[in-house]
Amino acid sequence: MEKTLDTKYTYTEKKDTRSGFGDGFLEVGKKNKNVVGLCADLIGSLKMGAFQKEFPDRFFQVGISEANMMGVAAGLTIGGKIPYTGTFANFSTGRVYDQIRQSIAYSEKNVKICASHAGLTLGEDGATHQILEDVGMMKMLPNMTVINPCDYNQTKAATIAIADHEGPVYLRFGRPKWPIFTPADQPFEIGKAWKMIEGTDVTIFATGHLVWEAVVAEAMLREEGISVELINIHTIKPLDTAAVLASVAKTGCAVTAEEHQYNGGLGDIIAQTLVRNQPAPQEFIGVDDSFGESGKPEELLEKYGLNAENIVKAVKKVIARK
Amino acid sequence: MEKHSTEQLNAVCSQVRRDILRMVHACQSGHPGASLGCTEFFVALYFDQMKHDSSFNLDGKGEDLFFLSNGHISPVWYSVLSRSGYFDTEELKTFRKIDSRLQGHPATEERLPGIRVASGSLGQGLSVAIGAALAKKINGDDRLVYALMGDGEQQEGQIWEAAMCAPHHKVDNLIASIDVNGQQIDGPTKEIMNLLDLKSKWEAFGWEVIVTENGNNITEVIQSLEKAKTLLGKGKPVLNLLHTDMGYGVDFMVGTHKWHGVAPNDEQLENALGQLEETLGDY
């Protein structure tokens, strides 16, 4: 169905965002000799093997001990290293929240927490691994930057860019093969929202995998005569407040789309920004206070209301509320 | 650095103990017990063992580094840092008070010289020390990394993750000590969660283990740390079981968990200070 739509962005290939991370990690390792890697027994899943092979002296397999990994990473910054930690998003956040809070965020350590297999699209492994609360936990921490890129190319660009940012970063990406619809040579500016499509009736703020669903939704809505502005929020914190307010000032309403709980995610921070500055109707695409389950990524996005069809419904609803 | 005599070091210890008690008394909070118990260890590190620069560079390249995992014994660390030139001793007056750099537990946010990472939530410091030691290896920096943990803290799982990690990665530029005083907040460690044979446990995890029988004897503490250094550089980290008496130096505080986190009142302070000579001048 997607193929027959006249989407503003198209793709010829699908690839997993974790591969974007792995390829970006190797590239940034070549560029910056201070970049080092740590992994808690998931080198294959995180695609960190190429870096490990190229720079064995700058890579530390720490085994299944994520708490220790966060501490060791914090220590490596003392001496000028830029550690990238690798494990699943669940074990990168909830399992090690106190370690990140004290040894990294409060201590202002230059650690890059690289978290794969985030969200429902992890798929068959089910709810134990499908973390939907990680963005909330990380964005609550003072000093923490939170980035959730949308495809292979953007993930690769983000992975390279964060090395030049002094301070802790949470970089969230995923497992499934996903359309590559953004350019390979894109600049990545942390904290700068990307207006992908201009429109006048509604603004969709999307992050991560759901940016593609929003691209599809825009094409569906355009066929019905609804003009959508689509903004890619790759950096959830710090939020590009100026871009958010400028767009909603024009369109008068917003839909947020994310592979995360309503509670604590992108929708929350957009709502907070609007309420504080220029209240406007908003609808939320996200998981409604529940855990996930096993299934194929597309099946899960449909069941939990996170696909293009649901974005279309939310847009119609929010426009009616204007 | 000029070598201090045993008498000089003991004189520093006496003053540090006065500082600890006065700091905790002034804000009526903080942890005097293990601060008093670890005084000789801190004085040995900062006045005898470590190559360090009180002008303070966070990266500490070319310096020995120290990490305190059991951050609640901040009074002894703050006193020793100020007495060794990191900041003016007058600042000890601000301990635990509003707008102070001397937070209840050590922190970096206020930029207090000498502190490289926050600690307080237990179990994290050894991992950080391992990371700093690995960075020294990558940088070709042959100075050492020291860490101190509490014995109650050995009940935290992360300690044992770190214990496994350091020998695996041949972190042989690290000397970690455990303050073995047998006490924790709720009572003796034996009653709260028995640690059993720490020496065998750490040896089984692949560490060189040494024992300091009397961690309140400055000569013995220095001998232990000297011995530890001879064991480094051979593929294994060193673990020093530092036996101390909680509350050492004040007769009514010694050997009990009751002074773990309780401040003396005016009368108790006067009694305690009467047992400790003012050697370097009170702040």
Side-chain angles (χ1 to χ4, degrees):
Chain A
M1 181 192 71
E2 289 173 14
K3 288 292 182 187
T4 63
L5 277 171
D6 175 28
T7 54
K8 296 268 189 183
Y9 291 82
T10 56
Y11 69 94
T12 54
E13 189 188 2
K14 288 186 175 186
K15 243 180 173 178
D16 42 5
T17 50
R18 59 183 165 147
S19 285
F21 164 69
D23 292 346
F25 186 43
L26 177 63
E27 196 168 315
V28 76
K30 288 175 181 169
K31 268 178 58 179
N32 189 330
K33 68 178 172 49
N34 283 324
V35 169
V36 299
L38 301 97
C39 189
D41 195 32
L42 288 168
I43 290 170
S45 296
L46 271 285
K47 310 290 182 188
M48 295 174 103
F51 182 103
Q52 182 193 31
K53 197 172 167 204
E54 184 87 11
F55 308 109
D57 298 335
R58 287 159 48 192
F59 191 87
F60 303 98
Q61 168 65 269
V62 297
I64 309 165
S65 59
E66 296 82 7
N68 180 56
M69 175 167 73
M70 293 304 166
V72 172
L76 277 159
T77 67
I78 301 164
K81 302 300 142 199
I82 306 171
Y84 282 54
T85 67
T87 183
F88 291 168
N90 189 18
F91 316 135
S92 294
T93 55
R95 190 180 185 90
V96 291
Y97 198 61
D98 188 42
Q99 285 77 16
I100 293 174
R101 181 176 179 274
Q102 175 173 285
S103 294
I104 296 175
Y106 184 40
S107 296
E108 303 164 280
K109 294 293 176 253
N110 194 20
V111 175
K112 314 307 172 189
I113 300 162
C114 303
S116 185
H117 293 54
L120 291 171
T121 54
L122 158 69
E124 291 81 353
D125 278 350
T128 56
H129 288 50
Q130 290 162 336
I131 194 157
L132 297 163
E133 302 83 29
D134 53 327
V135 169
M137 283 188 277
M138 290 297 113
K139 84 175 165 52
M140 266 203 295
L141 288 172
N143 299 330
M144 186 64 73
T145 292
V146 178
I147 298 174
N148 186 24
C150 65
D151 70 353
Y152 170 93
N153 283 337
Q154 196 173 57
T155 306
K156 186 176 174 187
T159 302
I160 295 165
I162 58 176
D164 295 327
H165 169 84
E166 178 74 27
V169 172
Y170 179 64
L171 180 67
R172 179 196 215 230
F173 44 93
R175 177 175 184 271
K177 290 195 168 16
W178 210 248
I180 305 178
F181 58 99
T182 71
D185 57 352
Q186 63 188 284
F188 190 90
E189 194 179 337
I190 294 170
K192 185 82 183 153
W194 175 19
K195 190 189 291 179
M196 296 184 70
I197 298 171
E198 290 255 7
T200 53
D201 296 332
V202 61
T203 309
I204 300 176
F205 297 103
T207 189
H209 290 134
L210 291 209
V211 177
W212 174 251
E213 296 297 326
V215 167
V216 175
E218 186 277 336
M220 294 160 77
L221 287 159
R222 184 159 23 92
E223 286 186 348
E224 298 187 45
I226 295 171
S227 168
V228 170
E229 181 142 302
L230 172 58
I231 298 189
N232 177 334
I233 305 283
H234 51 68
T235 308
I236 296 171
K237 184 184 174 185
L239 184 68
D240 189 345
T241 307
V244 170
L245 295 177
S247 180
V248 177
K250 178 174 63 173
T251 63
C253 62
V255 169
T256 51
E258 60 192 312
E259 200 181 345
H260 191 272
Q261 303 284 357
Y262 292 164
N263 291 327
L266 172 66
D268 255 18
I269 191 66
I270 297 280
Q272 192 182 123
T273 302
L274 293 177
V275 165
R276 282 183 164 181
N277 296 282
Q278 52 188 53
Q282 178 182 343
E283 290 294 325
F284 297 72
I285 294 294
V287 174
D288 185 9
D289 200 25
S290 79
F291 291 104
E293 65 181 87
S294 293
K296 290 190 168 59
E298 296 76 13
E299 293 171 340
L300 290 160
L301 291 182
E302 184 180 351
K303 177 165 178 177
Y304 288 83
L306 270 61
N307 59 9
E309 287 76 9
N310 286 282
I311 295 174
V312 166
K313 282 184 207 161
V315 163
K316 290 178 180 172
K317 190 172 169 190
V318 83
I319 287 174
R321 288 175 56 201
K322 276 209 271 189
Chain B
M1 186 170 67
E2 59 170 309
K3 274 284 171 194
H4 296 90
S5 68
T6 305
E7 289 70 27
Q8 286 172 319
L9 294 172
N10 279 325
V12 176
C13 289
S14 185
Q15 188 64 52
V16 167
R17 288 196 162 93
R18 289 181 70 89
D19 290 347
I20 292 166
L21 292 161
R22 294 179 69 239
M23 288 162 73
V24 171
H25 171 262
C27 61
Q28 282 298 297
S29 74
H31 299 78
S35 292
L36 293 167
C38 289
T39 297
E40 280 77 14
F41 176 77
F42 278 82
V43 170
L45 279 184
Y46 280 86
F47 286 82
D48 187 82
Q49 290 288 296
M50 292 202 305
K51 183 194 175 203
H52 65 105
D53 180 359
S54 62
S55 63
F56 191 59
N57 175 301
L58 194 136
D59 270 348
K61 287 181 181 166
E63 292 180 65
D64 295 325
L65 306 181
F66 171 71
F67 293 94
L68 178 66
S69 190
N70 47 331
H72 58 275
I73 68 168
S74 56
V76 62
W77 198 13
Y78 294 155
S79 168
V80 168
L81 284 172
S82 74
R83 294 288 172 185
S84 53
Y86 281 79
F87 53 87
D88 197 297
T89 53
E90 281 296 301
E91 199 170 344
L92 296 175
K93 284 179 181 165
T94 70
F95 175 59
R96 283 184 173 243
K97 292 182 176 164
I98 192 81
D99 294 331
S100 175
R101 297 196 294 177
L102 278 62
Q103 291 290 296
H105 293 81
T108 57
E109 203 172 53
E110 293 77 16
R111 304 282 182 270
L112 185 69
I115 313 295
R116 292 188 164 88
V117 72
S119 61
S121 174
L122 293 173
Q124 302 186 27
L126 183 59
S127 301
V128 178
I130 290 168
L134 288 169
K136 284 208 177 292
K137 281 179 172 284
I138 297 172
N139 290 337
D141 178 344
D142 62 2
R143 300 310 306 186
L144 306 179
V145 175
Y146 294 86
L148 179 66
M149 301 170 270
D151 53 357
E153 190 178 10
Q154 303 301 301
Q155 293 155 3
E156 289 281 7
Q158 188 182 347
I159 294 284
W160 301 99
E161 294 184 3
M164 217 180 302
C165 178
H168 180 83
H169 285 292
K170 299 185 168 47
V171 184
D172 57 3
N173 53 347
L174 170 65
I175 299 171
S177 296
I178 300 173
D179 174 23
V180 184
N181 59 28
Q183 309 289 338
Q184 57 191 112
I185 297 182
D186 277 351
T189 52
K190 275 186 182 151
E191 291 175 18
I192 304 305
M193 183 52 68
N194 202 338
L195 302 167
L196 299 175
D197 186 351
L198 284 177
K199 186 166 187 289
S200 299
K201 287 183 179 177
W202 283 87
E203 281 172 348
F205 274 76
W207 292 60
E208 287 285 357
V209 180
I210 62 170
V211 179
T212 308
E213 295 289 354
N214 185 356
N216 295 120
N217 178 316
I218 191 92
T219 306
E220 203 177 312
V221 173
I222 289 170
Q223 282 169 350
S224 277
L225 292 171
E226 287 291 344
K227 183 181 174 189
K229 282 191 274 192
T230 68
L231 297 170
L232 293 176
K234 296 167 187 168
K236 287 183 169 188
V238 175
L239 191 281
N240 173 28
L241 290 170
L242 178 80
H243 288 267
T244 72
D245 280 327
M246 191 180 250
Y248 187 85
V250 178
D251 58 7
F252 63 88
M253 289 185 169
V254 74
T256 169
H257 66 89
K258 297 201 172 70
W259 291 93
H260 167 91
V262 175
N265 62 27
D266 294 351
E267 192 183 330
Q268 289 162 333
L269 177 70
E270 195 183 336
N271 180 353
L273 292 179
Q275 302 172 39
L276 297 162
E277 190 186 346
E278 182 183 345
T279 52
L280 304 178
D282 286 340
Y283 60 82

